[in-house]
Amino acid sequence: AQSVAQPEDQVNVAEGNPLTVKCTYSVSGNPYLFWYVQYPNRGLQFLLKYITGDNLVKGSYGFEAEFNKSQTSFHLKKPSALVSDSALYFCAVRDRNAGNNRKLIWGLGTSLAVNP
Amino acid sequence: GAGVSQSPSNKVTEKGKDVELRCDPISGHTALYWYRQSLGQGLEFLIYFQGNSAPDKSGLPSDRFSAERTGGSVSTLTIQRTQQEDSAVYLCASSLKGQGTEAFFGQGTRLTVV
């Protein structure tokens, strides 16, 4: 079955330190991969996506993510965390071999807390 | 408008009443999703529309829930005989046809059943 795992419910980092939010996936075919962020009392916002090409994808607000096919992972990273990065982060995947089924499969989310 | 619009933004209803939640997707987006999110929780998939294809209703939690998408644009999520456990934020998203396209979310409707 297709699934997305975000193994950490919460990640705590100090401001200025690098951050990583982990995501692994399981799909039958090749994936399209997405990261979204949800700030408190706000809707979800798209951060970045992997479609094809370079495994390192750069997105909004200085975030980046690396697609690792052998490890079936798509971890979100930022070199220097800001307090304003504190939010709920969601990883999502779509199987590009799923034909007309374009439904996204979502992880349960990881709460990131950046401490001053 | 430029984004996905949902109305109302907040809805308080009495247990047993029916409610309708509305979603206006971005113009030209053929895919439309409804999700439910309880406080601080992940996204619970409800239903997915893609163009003229039959909708994927596999996430609807009970037969009290239904959704329509008229003319390939506006969608309405209806909850009949609401229960307290229906209280949540209901999120709508839309995307273009391509599989590699990202979904854009509305701000959600916060439903409270009292």
Side-chain angles (χ1 to χ4, degrees):
Chain A
Q2 299 181 350
S3 64
V4 175
Q6 293 182 240
E8 301 155 317
D9 292 336
Q10 178 147 353
V11 171
N12 294 290
V13 299
E15 187 174 30
N17 282 2
L19 70 86
T20 299
V21 182
K22 295 180 180 177
C23 173
T24 59
Y25 64 89
S26 174
V27 297
S28 57
N30 293 317
Y32 296 106
L33 295 154
F34 304 84
W35 274 103
Y36 286 79
V37 60
Q38 186 176 34
Y39 297 103
N41 300 313
R42 301 284 298 277
L44 274 81
Q45 297 178 31
F46 168 74
L47 267 183
L48 51 79
K49 66 181 178 182
Y50 170 79
I51 304 299
T52 189
D54 194 348
N55 289 344
L56 184 64
V57 178
K58 294 185 182 297
S60 306
Y61 312 120
F63 283 92
E64 59 188 29
E66 185 167 13
F67 170 56
N68 187 318
K69 186 174 183 178
S70 63
Q71 296 185 3
T72 61
S73 67
F74 190 55
H75 301 330
L76 181 70
K77 300 182 179 183
K78 186 173 182 180
S80 178
L82 300 173
V83 172
S84 57
D85 292 330
S86 299
L88 195 56
Y89 291 81
F90 291 94
C91 180
V93 64
R94 181 184 288 134
D95 183 352
R96 71 178 71 204
N97 295 330
N100 289 324
N101 184 352
R102 295 176 173 81
K103 189 171 71 177
L104 285 164
I105 309 299
W106 292 84
L108 295 180
T110 298
S111 179
L112 173 66
V114 181
N115 306 306
Chain B
V4 177
S5 178
Q6 292 188 246
S7 61
S9 55
N10 282 282
K11 176 73 176 177
V12 180
T13 189
E14 293 180 352
K15 178 181 175 181
K17 300 283 189 180
D18 298 351
V19 295
E20 284 190 353
L21 312 179
R22 177 187 168 100
C23 174
D24 275 284
I26 293 173
S27 178
H29 281 193
T30 58
L32 187 147
Y33 310 78
W34 281 99
Y35 293 93
R36 181 166 69 175
Q37 186 178 32
S38 300
L39 185 63
Q41 299 299 309
L43 298 173
E44 178 186 3
F45 167 76
L46 296 177
I47 188 168
Y48 161 64
F49 296 90
Q50 173 57 54
N52 295 321
S53 301
D56 179 349
K57 303 180 181 180
S58 60
L60 295 178
S62 76
D63 59 6
R64 296 187 295 106
F65 288 73
S66 63
E68 290 185 343
R69 188 177 186 192
T70 55
S73 181
V74 172
S75 178
T76 302
L77 177 69
T78 301
I79 308 173
Q80 296 178 310
R81 304 181 302 282
T82 52
Q83 304 295 312
Q84 287 188 329
E85 59 263 29
D86 299 335
S87 297
V89 176
Y90 289 81
L91 295 169
C92 176
S94 70
S95 70
L96 290 169
K97 181 178 181 180
Q99 289 185 330
T101 59
E102 61 270 27
F104 293 84
F105 282 80
Q107 293 298 304
T109 294
R110 182 176 299 278
L111 175 67
T112 304
V113 182
V114 298

